[in-house]
């Protein structure tokens, strides 16, 4: 029986236009059976475009000397209940793009979880830009083919951005 950290959602996707920002809440919970000590969090990667804060009036300062103790999570305790502070930590993550494009960072939460002392929550974002996502992977295996013969494979391409995506040409890679 031990503490077990969890983030809800486990990964966060942002969409914002250049010059605007997008905010999402990440809930940090203890889904274990013993109290969990949360000693801090930080944004790594493109940290100049992403930031994270919490309500210091509710939770106080969170660091090694002032750890937040999260009791095993209880779905019956809501944000207005007295015990909420020790039920889950709300971290507000903000994405503020400076230019058009795709961006990435990680929200790292530090705790005394014996199996996951640093929980990483991937943060991905697109600002005013199309983004190509090949759903079927990056390598397509055509197997053995006859010279001059045809061997068809279907791939699925999605636009993972928030602007129109126009594909004008497809070329096979060299490897």
């Amino acid at each position: 029986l031990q503490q077990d950290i969890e983030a809800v959602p486990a990964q966060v996707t942002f969409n914002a236009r250049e010059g605007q920002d997008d905010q999402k809440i990440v809930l940090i919970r203890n889904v274990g059976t013993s109290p969990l000590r949360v000693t801090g969090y930080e944004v790594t990667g493109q940290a100049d475009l992403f930031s994270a804060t919490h309500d210091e009036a509710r939770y106080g300062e969170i660091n090694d000397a002032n750890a937040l103790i999260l009791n095993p999570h209880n779905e019956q305790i809501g944000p207005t209940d007295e015990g909420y502070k020790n039920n889950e930590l709300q971290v507000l993550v903000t994405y503020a793009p400076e230019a058009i494009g795709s961006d990435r960072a990680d929200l790292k939460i530090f705790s005394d979880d014996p199996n996951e002392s640093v929980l990483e929550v991937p943060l991905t974002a697109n600002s005013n830009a199309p983004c190509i996502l090949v759903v079927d992977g990056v390598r397509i295996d055509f197997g053995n083919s006859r010279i001059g013969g045809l061997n068809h494979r279907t791939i699925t391409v999605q636009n993972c951005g928030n602007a129109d995506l126009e594909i004008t040409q497809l070329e096979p890679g060299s490897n």
Side-chain angles (χ1 to χ4, degrees):
L1 303 177
Q2 59 191 16
Q3 53 277 58
D4 186 8
I5 193 167
E6 171 187 73
V8 178
Q11 60 185 22
V12 183
T13 302
F14 297 87
N15 285 301
R17 300 207 175 274
E18 183 181 1
Q20 298 178 348
D21 49 338
D22 188 12
Q23 296 183 322
K24 308 280 186 188
I25 292 177
V26 177
L27 301 175
I28 308 305
R29 296 176 174 165
N30 176 12
V31 293
T33 56
S34 299
L36 173 76
R37 294 182 74 246
V38 176
T39 55
Y41 57 85
E42 69 180 4
V43 175
T44 61
Q46 292 178 298
D48 56 326
L49 303 178
F50 296 87
S51 61
T53 60
H54 68 277
D55 182 355
E56 283 197 31
R58 172 179 275 175
Y59 299 103
E61 187 177 341
I62 301 173
N63 56 40
D64 285 332
N66 299 302
L68 173 65
I69 304 300
L70 291 180
N71 294 321
H73 186 69
N74 181 344
E75 291 289 337
Q76 305 303 315
I77 298 176
T80 58
D81 294 330
E82 186 176 323
Y84 184 77
K85 170 187 169 185
N86 299 103
N87 192 46
E88 63 187 14
L89 169 63
Q90 291 184 359
V91 178
L92 179 66
V93 182
T94 303
Y95 168 61
E98 297 173 353
I100 293 173
S102 298
D103 301 303
R104 180 158 180 358
D106 289 297
L107 173 63
K108 292 184 177 182
I109 301 101
F110 306 101
S111 74
D112 67 348
D113 181 325
N115 298 316
E116 202 168 15
S117 62
V118 180
L119 175 64
E120 292 189 22
V121 178
L123 309 173
T124 56
N126 292 297
S127 63
N128 291 31
C131 168
I132 294 177
L133 174 65
V134 178
V135 178
D136 303 319
V138 293
R139 183 176 289 268
I140 309 298
D141 183 2
F142 286 91
N144 295 329
S145 299
R146 294 182 145 186
I147 295 175
L150 296 176
N151 194 342
H152 298 276
R153 294 290 184 271
T154 302
I155 62 169
T156 304
V157 178
Q158 292 180 344
N159 179 2
C160 55
N162 59 2
D164 291 338
L165 172 65
E166 181 180 333
I167 299 174
T168 57
Q169 184 175 353
L170 295 173
E171 293 182 19
S174 59
N175 45 346

